[in-house]
């Protein structure tokens, strides 16, 4: 860590940011008429940031420096954050160790929280100036910050505490412009990074666990059913509920005396048609009992106010109810009470056995809202699972974001317009995802259910936290509503876009032709289009390529371990592969295990890594693309200098770089059996077709025999 310098005489006593508007000085856009925070204020109100992404929630836009007890250090905190926001400011640009990239405004709140922890700890131990800080103060702070505030016996993970250590260290970088700084020559934990101090080990490995199949399968099946079967029915009810809300909002007057007779006629018509009266919400009944309604009152459970709003556009008061009590009691007596929403629901087929049932039973308003939220959440998870979009990108989806285009040669292409947030400048960059028709319909259903105006976000009216969404969806599916429709119960989560994206990456990358399949899928997601065919892909493509690379290394190591056990590969390329494995044996033998060194899995993987990079997966074989000149597929295609093999043309029985392994045996055995049953067993097959089928059958049985022979050889491989 760089040591601190004494404050420059030229800057002594200066206040480089005094009186400056925070947003404009940082080069950010502010909404007209919104708050205009100034540097010297103890609270920065950033709610007017014009380009703030949805993931920058409201509380992160309010920076309250009064959380720092010592007023002197509130000034230091403002100076530090302002310097991080404006790296090109004349007084910041000359600092030799300052960051040159502006801090993302979405990170300001977290930085302030960590500064408050550091400064308030110093206040608690009696430190009043940063010049008094010594290393034992830093060590005591680390010990305190490493424990949970709610459970002091629980240690926080290094990934959490590392951010708390950075702040004391980063203050050193801006000492020359801070109104209070450490003693010259002092730096917290000198010569050690925050990672080293906290023991945080960074890894390129993706540690997000995929969604297990036992959870993913019922989740996707239930989501599709809700969106395709229940969604179209629910849209009309949701629209009627929104219209009722708007009508009620406009009905802010009392019922006129002249309107009583008209309301009486409405009640009589409903009674004569046999329409049940609406049942009041439980909260309404509770309030009535508190107002000393008779528990035996026949109108206690009848919804009164919505009736008056609907019939007369006015508010329903108790005095009006008493005026019409005879008519109301007669109506309730003859027709009864029923929940007001989803009456006379159309029949649909149950998800499990196809039995026709009404798509819903009569619901109260809160039950209708829960159903709308569940189906909207189904659209959220289906879109996430099938597109690979991040949570920040899902949050940016707005009404009108789904587009479709008829292709000149037939078919339709479906697109979603959103914004990339991660890794982009503040506010993100607009981009387009090409998706499946299922996702297109899911977003259209979400638009209709939420009633979002054009440009209004789809997934922010209710909680956009994926865990709360899954909990709400699971509660609905596993409850009376979902089970009546035959939905498969959902197990506990967690389910979130990161896990769904990882699941999609692993599912594609581990299949035969995985990288090509990923490219074909992700070229439709223009976030990675520019990188998809580059030698070193980035963005989404990098995640998929890393998954495939790891899988190829695992398969190569497994083939080497089989070789060590005497289970050898077969095929034209087997000799070269065995030779390569013998070379690995020799390399490992030159580094015999000693007191310090052992031949562990990691060493084997490092030695085999180069070989694994040549591996391409066929349906029934491995192809080791080490020499393009030997690739049979490239010879047949007339492209001997191609950079990748043409796996669709692979004839593994003749290619000198193809091998067969024990896991391929069943594929070839099934192929032989199917050829025998479907073609050779057909007496009407022509002679040329029979000859081709016989050749395919003979090739498959020969490969099976070779795999069996290689797998049961008694010859021990050379060590």
């Amino acid at each position: 860590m760089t040591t601190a310098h004494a404050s420059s005489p030229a800057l002594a006593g200066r206040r480089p940011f005094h009186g400056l508007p925070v947003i404009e000085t940082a080069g950010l856009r502010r909404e007209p008429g919104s708050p205009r925070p100034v540097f010297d204020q103890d609270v920065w109100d950033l709610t007017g940031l014009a380009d703030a992404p949805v993931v920058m929630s409201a509380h992160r836009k309010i920076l309250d420096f009064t959380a720092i007890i010592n007023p002197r250090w509130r000034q230091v905190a403002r100076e530090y954050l302002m310097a991080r926001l404006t790296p090109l400011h004349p007084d910041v640009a000359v600092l030799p160790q300052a960051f040159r990239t502006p801090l993302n405004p979405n990170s300001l709140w977290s930085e302030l929280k960590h500064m408050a922890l550091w400064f308030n700890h110093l206040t608690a131990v009696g430190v009043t100036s940063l010049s008094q800080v010594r290393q034992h103060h830093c060590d005591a702070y680390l010990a305190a910050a490493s424990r949970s505030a709610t459970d002091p016996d629980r240690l926080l993970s290094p990934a959490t505490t590392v951010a708390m250590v950075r702040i004391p260290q980063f203050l050193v970088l801006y000492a020359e412009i801070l109104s209070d700084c450490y003693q010259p020559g002092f730096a917290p934990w000198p010569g050690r990074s925050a990672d080293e101090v906290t023991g945080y080990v960074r890894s390129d490995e993706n540690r997000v666990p995929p969604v297990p199949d036992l959870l993913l399968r019922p989740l996707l099946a239930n989501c599709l059913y809700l969106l395709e079967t229940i969604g179209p029915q629910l849209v009309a009810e949701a629209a009627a509920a929104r219209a009722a809300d708007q009508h009620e909002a406009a009905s802010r007057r009392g019922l006129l005396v002249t309107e009583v007779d008209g309301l009486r006629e409405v009640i009589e018509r409903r009674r004569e048609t046999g329409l049940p009266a609406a049942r009041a919400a439980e909260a309404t009944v509770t309030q009535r009992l508190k107002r000393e309604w008779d528990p035996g009152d026949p109108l206690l459970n009848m919804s009164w106010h919505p009736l008056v709003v609907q019939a007369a556009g006015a508010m329903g008061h108790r005095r009006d109810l008493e005026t019409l009590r005879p008519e109301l009691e007669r109506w309730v007596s003859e027709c009864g009470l029923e929940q007001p929403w989803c009456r006379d629901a159309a029949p649909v087929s149950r998800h499990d056995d196809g039995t026709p049932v009404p798509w819903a039973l009569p619901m109260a308003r809160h039950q209708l809202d829960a159903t709308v939220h569940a189906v909207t959440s189904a659209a959220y998870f289906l879109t996430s699972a099938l597109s690979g979009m991040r949570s920040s990108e899902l949050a940016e989806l707005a009404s009108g974001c789904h587009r479709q285009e008829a292709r000149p040669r037939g078919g339709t292409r479906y697109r979603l317009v959103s914004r990339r947030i991660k890794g982009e400048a503040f506010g993100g960059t607009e981009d387009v995802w090409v998706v499946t028709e299922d996702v297109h319909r899911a977003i259209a259903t979400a638009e209709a259910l939420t009633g979002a105006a054009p440009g209004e976000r789809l997934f922010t009216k209710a909680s956009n936290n994926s865990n709360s969404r899954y909990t709400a969806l699971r509660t609905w599916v596993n409850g009376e509503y979902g089970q009546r429709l035959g939905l498969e119960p959902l197990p506990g989560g967690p389910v979130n876009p990161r896990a769904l994206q990882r699941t999609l990456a692993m599912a594609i990358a581990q299949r035969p032709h995985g990288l090509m399949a990923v490219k074909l899928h992700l070229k439709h997601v223009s976030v990675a289009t520019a990188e998809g065919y580059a030698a070193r892909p980035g963005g989404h493509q990098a995640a998929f390529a890393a998954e495939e690379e790891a899988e190829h290394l695992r398969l190569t190591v497994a083939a080497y371990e089989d070789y060590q056990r005497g289970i050898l590969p077969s095929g034209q390329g087997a000799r070269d592969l065995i030779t390569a494995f013998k070379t690995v044996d020799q390399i490992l033998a030159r580094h015999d295990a000693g007191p310090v060194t052992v031949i562990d899995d990691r060493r084997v993987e490092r030695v085999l890594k180069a070989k694994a990079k040549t591996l391409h997966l066929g349906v029934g074989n491995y192809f080791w693309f080490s020499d393009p000149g030997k690739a049979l597929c490239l010879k047949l295609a007339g492209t001997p200098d191609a950079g990748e093999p043409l796996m669709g043309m692979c004839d593994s029985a003749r290619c000198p770089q193809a091998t067969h392994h024990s896991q391929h045996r069943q594929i070839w055995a099934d192929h032989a059996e199917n050829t025998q049953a479907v073609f050779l067993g057909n007496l009407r097959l022509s002679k040329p077709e029979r000859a081709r089928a016989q050749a395919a059958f003979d090739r498959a049985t020969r490969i099976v025999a070779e795999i069996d022979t290689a797998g049961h050889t008694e010859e021990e491989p050379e060590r």
Side-chain angles (χ1 to χ4, degrees), residues 7-26:
S7 297
S8 169
L11 294 176
R14 287 190 55 185
R15 301 176 63 188
F17 307 118
H18 175 64
L20 294 180
V22 176
I23 296 177
E24 289 81 353
T25 304

Side-chain angles (χ1 to χ4, degrees), residues 402-408 410-416 432-437 440 520 523-525:
H402 61 106
R403 318 281 171 78
Q404 65 182 77
E405 171 193 355
R407 306 299 293 165
T412 304
R413 176 167 290 174
Y414 302 96
R415 292 186 173 91
L416 293 183
V432 177
W433 283 254
V434 176
V435 295
T436 64
E437 185 178 1
H440 176 81
L520 291 174
K523 76 177 181 180
H524 297 159
V525 184

Side-chain angles (χ1 to χ4, degrees), residues 51-63:
D51 300 313
V54 174
V55 292
M56 187 177 182
S57 51
H59 79 277
R60 301 184 74 88
K61 298 176 183 178
I62 304 296
L63 303 182

Side-chain angles (χ1 to χ4, degrees), residues 278-516:
R279 182 178 293 277
E282 293 181 3
T284 300
V285 175
T286 301
Q287 290 177 356
R288 288 176 176 176
L289 292 174
K290 289 181 179 179
R291 294 171 184 168
E292 299 184 352
W293 277 52
D294 184 354
D297 192 327
L299 302 183
L300 175 65
N301 294 291
M302 189 200 75
S303 179
W304 167 242
H305 175 67
L307 172 65
V308 180
V309 170
Q310 184 180 21
M315 295 185 291
H317 294 292
R318 174 95 183 253
R319 62 176 182 273
D320 302 317
L321 180 145
E322 295 301 333
T323 301
L324 295 169
R325 176 174 284 276
E327 291 81 1
L328 292 172
E329 289 186 357
R330 184 181 179 188
W331 180 25
V332 171
S333 174
E334 294 182 9
C335 302
L337 298 172
E338 190 177 57
Q339 298 291 1
W341 300 101
C342 302
R343 294 180 175 183
D344 303 320
V348 297
S349 298
R350 279 174 56 99
H351 180 53
D352 52 359
D353 57 14
T355 304
V357 294
W359 72 268
L361 297 178
M363 297 181 179
R365 178 57 189 272
H366 72 277
Q367 295 168 327
L368 175 63
D369 291 341
T371 302
V372 169
H373 183 57
V375 179
T376 305
S377 297
Y380 178 88
F381 287 114
L382 186 72
T383 302
S384 175
L386 300 187
S387 71
M389 297 177 77
R390 296 184 176 95
S391 58
S392 59
E393 296 157 354
L394 291 166
E396 296 293 328
L397 290 173
S399 179
C401 67
H402 61 106
R403 318 281 171 78
Q404 65 182 77
E405 171 193 355
R407 306 299 293 165
R409 297 184 180 180
T412 304
R413 176 167 290 174
Y414 302 96
R415 292 186 173 91
L416 293 183
V417 179
S418 185
R419 302 187 70 82
R420 284 182 284 120
I421 304 301
K422 185 176 181 179
E424 301 294 327
F426 182 67
T429 303
E430 185 175 290
D431 214 328
V432 177
W433 283 254
V434 176
V435 295
T436 64
E437 185 178 1
D438 290 325
V439 174
H440 176 81
R441 291 200 303 264
I443 294 299
T445 301
E447 283 187 4
L449 288 175
T450 59
E456 186 178 358
R457 300 293 188 267
L458 293 178
F459 297 121
T460 54
K461 285 189 173 182
S463 173
N464 202 41
N465 178 281
S466 57
N467 289 331
S468 64
R469 278 192 176 276
Y470 182 72
T471 299
L473 176 61
R474 179 171 179 257
T475 300
W476 194 94
V477 168
N478 295 357
E480 58 175 319
Y481 307 110
Q483 293 309 295
R484 197 182 61 82
L485 294 170
L487 297 178
E488 184 174 351
L490 293 174
V495 178
N496 54 64
R498 292 185 67 192
L500 290 171
Q501 186 186 49
R502 178 87 194 280
T503 306
L504 183 63
M506 293 179 66
I508 297 179
Q510 294 181 12
R511 293 172 63 88
H513 318 297
L515 181 57
M516 182 59 68

